[in-house]
mmCIF file of all heavy atoms in Angstrom:
data_model
loop_
_atom_site.group_PDB
_atom_site.id
_atom_site.type_symbol
_atom_site.label_atom_id
_atom_site.label_comp_id
_atom_site.label_asym_id
_atom_site.label_seq_id
_atom_site.Cartn_x
_atom_site.Cartn_y
_atom_site.Cartn_z
ATOM 1 N N TRP A 611 112.446 56.593 21.265
ATOM 2 C CA TRP A 611 113.354 57.728 21.302
ATOM 3 C C TRP A 611 114.603 57.353 20.468
ATOM 4 O O TRP A 611 114.948 56.210 20.407
ATOM 5 C CB TRP A 611 113.802 58.097 22.718
ATOM 6 C CG TRP A 611 112.592 58.339 23.658
ATOM 7 C CD1 TRP A 611 112.081 57.355 24.486
ATOM 8 C CD2 TRP A 611 111.959 59.507 23.942
ATOM 9 N NE1 TRP A 611 111.053 57.929 25.186
ATOM 10 C CE2 TRP A 611 110.975 59.245 24.940
ATOM 11 C CE3 TRP A 611 112.062 60.842 23.483
ATOM 12 C CZ2 TRP A 611 110.097 60.178 25.409
ATOM 13 C CZ3 TRP A 611 111.168 61.772 23.969
ATOM 14 C CH2 TRP A 611 110.152 61.486 24.900
ATOM 15 N N THR A 612 115.274 58.379 19.965
ATOM 16 C CA THR A 612 116.674 58.127 19.465
ATOM 17 C C THR A 612 117.599 58.050 20.712
ATOM 18 O O THR A 612 117.245 58.446 21.792
ATOM 19 C CB THR A 612 117.096 59.192 18.578
ATOM 20 O OG1 THR A 612 117.122 60.520 19.294
ATOM 21 C CG2 THR A 612 116.309 59.364 17.303
ATOM 22 N N GLY A 613 118.719 57.436 20.496
ATOM 23 C CA GLY A 613 119.663 57.246 21.644
ATOM 24 C C GLY A 613 120.037 58.613 22.285
ATOM 25 O O GLY A 613 120.049 58.754 23.513
ATOM 26 N N LYS A 614 120.180 59.642 21.481
ATOM 27 C CA LYS A 614 120.539 60.962 21.973
ATOM 28 C C LYS A 614 119.451 61.484 22.846
ATOM 29 O O LYS A 614 119.654 62.057 23.958
ATOM 30 C CB LYS A 614 120.807 61.887 20.837
ATOM 31 C CG LYS A 614 121.365 63.305 21.204
ATOM 32 C CD LYS A 614 121.660 64.118 20.025
ATOM 33 C CE LYS A 614 122.275 65.442 20.363
ATOM 34 N NZ LYS A 614 122.623 66.182 19.122
ATOM 35 N N ASP A 615 118.126 61.411 22.414
ATOM 36 C CA ASP A 615 117.008 61.892 23.301
ATOM 37 C C ASP A 615 116.821 61.004 24.430
ATOM 38 O O ASP A 615 116.450 61.485 25.526
ATOM 39 C CB ASP A 615 115.762 61.882 22.386
ATOM 40 C CG ASP A 615 115.660 63.140 21.445
ATOM 41 O OD1 ASP A 615 116.534 63.981 21.578
ATOM 42 O OD2 ASP A 615 114.820 63.142 20.577
ATOM 43 N N ALA A 616 117.073 59.734 24.325
ATOM 44 C CA ALA A 616 116.953 58.833 25.499
ATOM 45 C C ALA A 616 117.932 59.144 26.516
ATOM 46 O O ALA A 616 117.685 59.104 27.751
ATOM 47 C CB ALA A 616 117.030 57.379 25.027
ATOM 48 N N ALA A 617 119.183 59.498 26.123
ATOM 49 C CA ALA A 617 120.187 59.863 27.164
ATOM 50 C C ALA A 617 119.840 61.133 27.855
ATOM 51 O O ALA A 617 120.037 61.239 29.082
ATOM 52 C CB ALA A 617 121.540 60.110 26.391
ATOM 53 N N SER A 618 119.184 62.062 27.222
ATOM 54 C CA SER A 618 118.842 63.324 27.888
ATOM 55 C C SER A 618 117.645 63.057 28.835
ATOM 56 O O SER A 618 117.429 64.023 29.681
ATOM 57 C CB SER A 618 118.403 64.357 26.805
ATOM 58 O OG SER A 618 117.236 64.057 26.174
ATOM 59 N N ARG A 619 117.024 61.965 28.775
ATOM 60 C CA ARG A 619 115.909 61.707 29.634
ATOM 61 C C ARG A 619 116.243 60.593 30.621
ATOM 62 O O ARG A 619 115.342 60.024 31.331
ATOM 63 C CB ARG A 619 114.696 61.221 28.815
ATOM 64 C CG ARG A 619 114.070 62.456 28.081
ATOM 65 C CD ARG A 619 113.227 62.045 26.928
ATOM 66 N NE ARG A 619 112.625 63.303 26.289
ATOM 67 C CZ ARG A 619 113.207 64.053 25.437
ATOM 68 N NH1 ARG A 619 114.432 63.820 25.101
ATOM 69 N NH2 ARG A 619 112.601 65.149 24.989
ATOM 70 N N GLY A 620 117.471 60.172 30.767
ATOM 71 C CA GLY A 620 117.870 59.162 31.722
ATOM 72 C C GLY A 620 117.684 57.729 31.421
ATOM 73 O O GLY A 620 117.870 56.894 32.184
ATOM 74 N N LEU A 621 117.214 57.452 30.134
ATOM 75 C CA LEU A 621 116.983 56.082 29.778
ATOM 76 C C LEU A 621 118.309 55.492 29.240
ATOM 77 O O LEU A 621 118.310 54.230 29.164
ATOM 78 C CB LEU A 621 115.970 56.048 28.620
ATOM 79 C CG LEU A 621 114.553 56.627 28.981
ATOM 80 C CD1 LEU A 621 113.666 56.552 27.731
ATOM 81 C CD2 LEU A 621 113.942 55.884 30.065
ATOM 82 N N VAL A 622 119.267 56.237 28.948
ATOM 83 C CA VAL A 622 120.591 55.748 28.486
ATOM 84 C C VAL A 622 121.640 56.544 29.255
ATOM 85 O O VAL A 622 121.503 57.716 29.527
ATOM 86 C CB VAL A 622 120.771 56.038 26.897
ATOM 87 C CG1 VAL A 622 122.164 55.915 26.492
ATOM 88 C CG2 VAL A 622 119.839 55.020 26.170
ATOM 89 N N ASP A 623 122.740 55.904 29.620
ATOM 90 C CA ASP A 623 123.833 56.493 30.404
ATOM 91 C C ASP A 623 124.892 57.155 29.545
ATOM 92 O O ASP A 623 125.422 58.235 29.978
ATOM 93 C CB ASP A 623 124.454 55.471 31.316
ATOM 94 C CG ASP A 623 123.516 54.822 32.324
ATOM 95 O OD1 ASP A 623 123.012 55.620 33.203
ATOM 96 O OD2 ASP A 623 123.181 53.660 32.207
ATOM 97 N N ALA A 624 125.306 56.573 28.419
ATOM 98 C CA ALA A 624 126.313 57.086 27.763
ATOM 99 C C ALA A 624 126.150 56.911 26.169
ATOM 100 O O ALA A 624 125.448 55.917 25.856
ATOM 101 C CB ALA A 624 127.723 56.462 28.051
ATOM 102 N N LEU A 625 126.620 57.795 25.360
ATOM 103 C CA LEU A 625 126.586 57.667 23.973
ATOM 104 C C LEU A 625 127.862 57.181 23.289
ATOM 105 O O LEU A 625 128.923 57.646 23.686
ATOM 106 C CB LEU A 625 126.173 59.029 23.313
ATOM 107 C CG LEU A 625 124.778 59.545 23.713
ATOM 108 C CD1 LEU A 625 124.623 60.936 23.227
ATOM 109 C CD2 LEU A 625 123.676 58.593 23.271
ATOM 110 N N GLY A 626 127.767 56.221 22.371
ATOM 111 C CA GLY A 626 128.921 55.612 21.748
ATOM 112 C C GLY A 626 128.650 54.281 21.264
ATOM 113 O O GLY A 626 127.527 53.780 21.291
#
Side-chain angles (χ1 to χ4, degrees):
W611 309 90
T612 59
K614 188 175 181 180
D615 281 352
S618 69
R619 288 160 176 81
L621 299 177
V622 166
D623 296 296
L625 296 173

